[in-house]
């Protein structure tokens, strides 16, 4: 396989900051961010020590909290590598570390453009030999590009599970557009286009798993909604049978910030009430609030509980929701599971809560390049599908 994307997609190009924006960014980097990192890092270290929690994971949480709470979306996208750049960097590092030649064959750069929606699929694994495929939608509050840790956890949980189960698995990693440059329903339109490409490539719905973390979990729910109740601006998807499964890792499902999990964990999670309010304001500025018959915005599944939820079993067979017991978004994932259970949709819903985890433990383990408890649990669930 080879890199088929000779011309970068617009969503892989960094923002062009004005002179004033550059001066401000330098000032924040030199005089604000270091102090914030020291203060938040010390607080999170103390919290981890007091509660006998994983120190590296909580220091990582502190870093992400400072990044999201100190810099604007355009500044974050300037500082961080794009999703495509992160993909290339991860592949190069992984190829150096992996000695098994059969595994190295699954680490070839393979970028499939989706020109109609100005996006692309970044493949992890061999899509030409795959019998099962995972459409992965990354998190980051719609402002952060994907990082190497996303590809690492996808490799560990899905591709390696396939190798261990003698079933070839590939991950179709969507590079979607970020706010504030992209307006809704851009991300849904790109996700729908990616799923259409998988179906055109010959994958049956029973061979496809869809999922994502945080904001990516939000897009995954929007995609399931779209399958049942088509959005006028996204490619229509006609399934002959439900998708094999879907998963939501620490999903962002509502803009409310007053639930008990927000109030209890505001000071010790990588996300905070202030950060979520900021992300929600940015989303509201750039989202067209498409409303279903029952009301509610498409990007807020907990508020958009129309008739489509009762038909969820026509879109997917199984749904796995994972949350951290110490994260602000915990109540949202739990509320979705409770709602689906009450509706008796016919979908096999699994809710898992790790009592010591903060937000997005699955990806945090990938960033730290470790196969931890979240990855192991995801592997066990995924292997049960193969």
């Amino acid at each position: 396989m080879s890199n088929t994307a000779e011309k970068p997609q617009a969503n892989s190009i960094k923002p062009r900051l004005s002179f004033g924006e550059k001066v401000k960014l330098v000032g924040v980097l030199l005089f604000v961010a270091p102090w914030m990192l020291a203060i938040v890092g010390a607080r999170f270290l103390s919290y981890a020590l007091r509660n006998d929690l994983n120190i590296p994971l909580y220091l990582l949480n502190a870093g992400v909290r400072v990044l999201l709470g100190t810099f604007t979306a355009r500044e974050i996208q300037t500082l961080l590598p794009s999703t495509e750049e992160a993909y290339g960097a991860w592949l190069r590092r992984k190829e150096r570390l992996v000695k098994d030649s059969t595994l190295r064959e699954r680490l070839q750069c393979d970028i499939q453009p989706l020109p109609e929606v100005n996006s692309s699929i970044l493949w992890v694994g061999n899509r030409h030999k795959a019998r099962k495929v995972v459409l992965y939608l990354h998190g980051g509050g719609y402002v952060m590009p994907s990082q190497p840790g996303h590809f690492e956890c996808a490799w560990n949980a899905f591709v390696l599970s396939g190798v261990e189960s003698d079933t070839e698995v590939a991950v179709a990693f969507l590079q979607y557009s970020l706010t504030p440059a992209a307006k809704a329903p851009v991300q849904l339109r790109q996700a729908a286009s990616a799923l259409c490409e998988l179906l055109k490539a010959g994958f049956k719905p029973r061979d496809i798993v869809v999922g994502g973390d945080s904001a990516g979990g939000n897009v995954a729910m929007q995609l399931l909604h779209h399958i049942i109740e088509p959005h006028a601006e996204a490619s229509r998807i006609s399934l002959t049978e439900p998708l094999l499964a879907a998963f939501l890792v620490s999903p962002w499902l509502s803009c409310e910030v007053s639930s008990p999990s927000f109030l209890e964990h505001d000071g010790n999670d990588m996300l905070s009430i202030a950060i979520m309010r900021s992300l929600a304001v940015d989303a509201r500025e750039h989202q067209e609030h498409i409303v279903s018959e029952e009301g509610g915005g498409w990007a807020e599944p907990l508020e958009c509980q129309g008739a489509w939820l009762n038909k969820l079993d026509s879109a997917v067979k199984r749904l796995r929701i994972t949350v951290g017991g110490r994260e602000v978004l915990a109540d949202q994932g739990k509320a979705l599971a409770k709602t689906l259970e009450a509706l008796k949709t016919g979908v096999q819903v699994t809710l898992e809560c790790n009592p010591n985890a903060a937000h997005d433990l699955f990806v945090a383990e990938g960033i730290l390049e470790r196969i931890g408890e979240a990855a192991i649990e995801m592997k066990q669930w995924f292997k049960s599908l193969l």
Side-chain angles (χ1 to χ4, degrees):
M1 291 183 285
S2 61
N3 187 336
T4 57
E6 297 179 0
K7 181 179 179 181
Q9 297 295 314
N11 58 9
S12 69
I13 299 174
K14 292 179 177 292
R16 293 184 178 181
L17 300 185
S18 67
F19 177 75
E21 287 177 311
K22 291 178 181 177
V23 171
K24 175 179 175 293
L25 176 57
V26 171
V28 173
L29 281 171
L30 292 177
F31 302 110
V32 179
W35 287 103
M36 290 299 299
L37 188 59
I39 294 169
V40 176
R43 189 171 80 238
F44 274 48
L45 175 60
S46 174
Y47 178 80
L49 290 171
R50 290 197 315 270
N51 294 280
D52 194 25
L53 301 172
N54 187 292
I55 291 175
L57 283 171
Y58 271 83
L59 290 179
L60 173 62
N61 290 343
V64 175
R65 184 176 175 121
V66 171
L67 181 69
L68 289 172
T70 307
F71 298 94
T72 67
R74 286 166 55 82
E75 290 170 344
I76 289 171
Q77 292 157 27
T78 298
L79 292 171
L80 297 179
S82 69
T83 294
E84 191 171 315
E85 290 170 338
Y87 172 66
W90 176 79
L91 279 176
R92 290 189 293 272
R93 174 170 171 76
K94 203 69 179 174
E95 286 176 329
R96 292 195 300 269
L97 295 175
V98 173
K99 305 303 180 183
D100 188 327
S101 60
T102 60
L103 288 180
R104 288 172 63 90
E105 292 176 358
R106 299 176 175 87
L107 289 168
Q108 303 302 308
C109 184
D110 183 10
I111 302 178
Q112 179 183 358
L114 302 173
E116 291 186 358
V117 291
N118 196 31
S119 184
S120 54
I121 296 174
L122 314 179
W123 285 94
V124 178
N126 190 332
R127 60 166 156 151
H128 303 292
K129 294 182 179 180
R131 292 164 51 195
K132 303 289 183 183
V133 63
V134 177
L135 175 57
Y136 194 97
L137 308 163
H138 72 85
Y142 292 110
V143 301
M144 289 178 63
S146 177
Q147 296 305 299
H150 282 100
F151 299 103
E152 180 71 13
C153 65
W155 168 266
N156 290 335
F158 307 124
V159 178
L160 292 186
S161 287
V163 173
E164 294 164 8
S165 303
D166 197 28
T167 302
E168 196 69 33
V169 175
V171 179
F173 205 99
L174 179 66
Q175 179 175 235
Y176 61 77
S177 299
L178 303 174
T179 60
K183 296 182 180 181
V186 170
Q187 294 83 10
L188 170 60
R189 190 160 60 234
Q190 292 168 334
S193 178
L195 180 54
C196 285
E197 286 300 314
L198 299 184
L199 294 168
K200 289 178 185 177
F203 291 104
K204 303 298 183 184
R206 61 178 174 271
D207 298 323
I208 300 174
V209 176
V210 171
D213 64 285
S214 196
N218 184 297
V219 181
M221 281 302 296
Q222 289 189 57
L223 185 58
L224 295 177
H225 184 173
H226 169 64
I227 291 171
I228 300 164
E229 187 178 271
H231 189 297
E233 297 185 39
S235 299
R236 184 178 291 267
I237 299 170
S238 298
L239 298 181
T240 56
E241 60 185 343
L243 299 175
L244 175 59
F247 62 88
L248 311 175
V249 177
S250 294
W252 180 19
L253 303 171
S254 170
C255 288
E256 73 83 23
V257 293
S258 59
S259 68
S261 61
F262 267 99
L263 301 178
E264 183 177 358
H265 303 299
D266 180 53
N268 54 265
D269 191 15
M270 71 169 67
L271 302 178
S272 67
I273 292 175
I275 289 172
M276 296 309 298
R277 281 177 173 162
S278 176
L279 293 174
V281 167
D282 187 65
R284 288 191 178 111
E285 286 179 353
H286 299 284
Q287 285 182 358
E288 301 166 13
H289 282 274
I290 306 300
V291 178
S292 73
E293 293 179 357
E294 300 296 326
W298 273 67
E300 297 182 55
L302 285 181
E303 277 68 54
C304 192
Q305 295 182 17
W308 71 276
L309 268 182
N310 294 291
K311 305 173 185 176
L312 191 61
D313 60 339
S314 66
V316 68
K317 292 181 178 180
R318 304 170 184 85
L319 177 63
R320 180 177 189 258
I321 304 170
T322 60
V323 298
R326 297 175 185 265
E327 70 164 312
V328 295
L329 292 180
D331 287 343
Q332 295 188 10
K334 293 177 181 179
L336 178 61
K338 184 177 180 180
T339 297
L340 294 175
E341 181 180 358
L343 290 175
K344 301 186 185 303
T345 61
V347 177
Q348 180 182 323
V349 179
T350 303
L351 172 66
E352 296 184 10
C353 178
N354 185 318
N356 289 324
H359 183 65
D360 215 343
L361 177 62
F362 178 58
V363 174
E365 290 176 348
I367 293 173
L368 296 178
E369 297 186 325
R370 61 175 60 174
I371 300 179
E373 53 189 318
I376 291 171
E377 290 171 357
M378 181 69 84
K379 289 185 71 171
Q380 291 173 341
W381 173 78
F382 186 68
K383 284 182 177 181
S384 72
L385 306 176
L386 301 179

